[in-house]
Amino acid sequence: MSAGILGMGKFIPEHVVTNTDLEKVMDTSDEWIRTRTGIEERRIADDDTDTSDMAFAAAEQAIQNAGLTPADIDLILVATVTPDHPFPSVACLLQDRLGARTIPAMDISAACSGFMYGMVTAKQFIDTDTFRHVLVVGVEKLSKITDWEDRGTAVLFGDAAAAAVLGHVSDGKGILSFELGADGSGSKYLYQDDKFIKMNGREVFKFAVRQMGESAVHVVEKAGLKKEDIDYLIPHQANIRIMEASRERLEIPEEKMIKTIQKYGNTSASSIPLALLDAVESGQITDGDLIVMVGFGGGLTWGALTLRWGK
Ligand SMILES: CC(C)(COP(=O)(O)OP(=O)(O)OC[C@H]1O[C@@H](n2cnc3c(N)ncnc32)[C@H](O)[C@@H]1OP(=O)(O)O)[C@@H](O)C(=O)NCCC(=O)NCCS
């Protein structure tokens, strides 16, 4: 038995903000955003919807799709850098909202790599039979820490949540290998000051291209697989040019890379699970497919894993 995904859920805010909408409020253009990032539109949550509300909607759906109830969950991990409050954690708010038992609940702060950190943490508890079912949520309301006067960052981000319930799956399925890492010396390139996201785009770009490619190759090797075995690559949806670089490094064709950046922008911790769920719902990813997921983010952090889809 190994640890894999039993069910997933998502929350996508209704309000769509297109590049053309942004042209009206800042000095930018649809053409610049599309060609430099691949983003066409993003979703922005309304004022009444906070991070825990989005997490709750996604989590409820994931638990239901796993065929479970909140009482079956043994641990809650929420990957986010935009919690409702510094404390209590979103995970604690979520535990209460779900009506789960008094199980452990905590947030993970690893920015856009957060969901990878969450999946790998869940796996440790499942593999050791400490916990049976772990709820992992990737959720961000980045719009509340976005400086709408800074065109260098404002055009990139979006709000969303995606959740997965992890538990035992049959042999050969689930998480086959993983890699996590961090390099705090790069903290100056991507961070939040008193209020807003600050970023050195070029430095983050260089780091991301190198790290995404390397980590993706490492996890394939660690699983004893070859590049040709990969059915789908799900890179963190930050910039299409970074995503393409990791695809080229893995030498896999265009149609094998899952791409949702055009419609959601960079949703940080929710980007990878959201792309995965989109591909599962559309029927693209099916039982037995071998998936490589790879993310990077503020910290700087990174995380990658190989997952054989199915229970
Ligand atoms: C942010 C990013 C898209 C910028 O693309 P780039 O090709 O590096 O662009 P540059 O920063 O070199 O800027 C080029 C020009 O475009 C301008 N520009 C920046 N943002 C712009 C915008 N939204 N609209 C129009 N022009 C913009 C710059 O001011 C600069 O103008 P200048 O040459 O007159 O100084 C790119 O660096 C990137 O994606 N980096 C990684 C960011 C990331 O993934 N962050 C999340 C990590 S989880």
Side-chain angles (χ1 to χ4, degrees):
M1 297 286 270
S2 52
I5 294 178
L6 304 177
M8 294 190 74
K10 66 182 175 189
F11 175 82
I12 299 163
E14 270 173 37
H15 183 51
V16 177
V17 175
T18 64
N19 293 346
T20 318
D21 293 332
L22 292 178
E23 277 178 2
K24 292 172 195 150
V25 294
M26 65 183 76
D27 181 17
T28 189
S29 68
D30 175 46
E31 206 267 333
W32 192 96
I33 302 171
R34 270 176 208 258
T35 53
R36 300 287 181 121
T37 74
I39 300 166
E40 293 168 19
E41 57 187 48
R42 72 285 293 140
R43 303 296 181 104
I44 302 292
D46 58 42
D47 291 344
D48 301 335
T49 306
D50 210 340
T51 304
S52 63
D53 301 309
M54 298 198 285
F56 173 64
E60 214 181 17
Q61 211 183 81
I63 294 168
Q64 197 176 4
N65 287 342
L68 301 171
T69 70
D72 298 314
I73 303 299
D74 303 306
L75 168 68
I76 299 176
L77 301 171
V78 176
T80 188
V81 291
T82 49
D84 300 33
H85 323 282
F87 72 94
S89 63
V90 174
C92 283
L93 301 178
L94 182 58
Q95 183 219 54
D96 179 48
R97 198 72 188 269
L98 286 168
R101 291 173 290 118
T102 53
I103 52 168
M106 66 175 172
D107 287 0
I108 293 177
S109 176
C112 307
S113 314
F115 197 82
M116 296 293 92
Y117 271 68
M119 293 261 291
V120 171
T121 306
K123 173 180 161 56
Q124 309 313 310
F125 287 114
I126 293 163
D127 283 354
T128 52
D129 270 331
T130 313
F131 296 127
R132 242 170 101 77
H133 301 122
V134 182
L135 172 65
V136 184
V137 184
V139 57
E140 301 290 3
K141 190 179 181 188
L142 290 164
S143 58
K144 66 183 178 184
I145 60 164
T146 298
D147 180 358
W148 296 100
E149 314 257 287
D150 174 15
R151 66 177 183 172
T153 54
V155 303
L156 303 176
F157 301 108
D159 301 334
V165 176
L166 275 78
H168 284 302
V169 292
S170 44
D171 274 342
K173 291 194 172 166
I175 300 170
L176 307 179
S177 64
F178 69 87
E179 172 174 290
L180 296 179
D183 177 2
S185 72
S187 57
K188 55 186 174 289
Y189 299 134
L190 183 55
Y191 61 96
Q192 184 187 346
D193 66 4
D194 292 344
K195 276 186 171 162
F196 298 128
I197 301 167
K198 301 285 174 194
M199 184 177 74
N200 179 329
R202 275 181 210 179
E203 289 299 333
V204 174
F205 193 96
K206 277 192 284 182
F207 155 74
V209 164
R210 191 189 67 243
Q211 196 57 55
M212 292 258 277
E214 275 177 18
S215 295
V217 169
H218 287 165
V219 290
V220 173
E221 285 169 0
K222 276 187 181 178
L225 297 163
K226 296 195 202 67
K227 290 172 183 170
E228 308 84 84
D229 299 323
I230 303 166
D231 293 303
Y232 291 102
L233 168 66
I234 308 184
H236 170 44
Q237 312 278 310
N239 181 313
I240 189 67
R241 292 181 291 146
I242 298 171
M243 293 161 60
E244 281 297 335
S246 60
R247 182 180 71 74
E248 280 162 21
R249 182 78 190 270
L250 282 179
E251 295 163 25
I252 64 170
E254 231 171 281
E255 64 275 12
K256 290 190 171 186
M257 182 173 78
I258 307 297
K259 187 167 87 70
T260 57
I261 188 168
Q262 68 284 1
K263 50 181 182 175
Y264 303 134
N266 178 350
T267 60
S268 185
S270 65
S271 119
I272 294 175
L274 194 56
L276 169 63
L277 184 51
D278 250 39
V280 170
E281 285 177 344
S282 70
Q284 201 174 356
I285 289 179
T286 55
D287 195 50
D289 279 344
L290 180 74
I291 307 163
V292 174
M293 301 185 206
V294 57
F296 70 95
L300 298 165
T301 56
W302 60 90
L305 56 86
T306 56
L307 176 95
R308 175 108 33 215
W309 183 251
K311 300 183 199 176

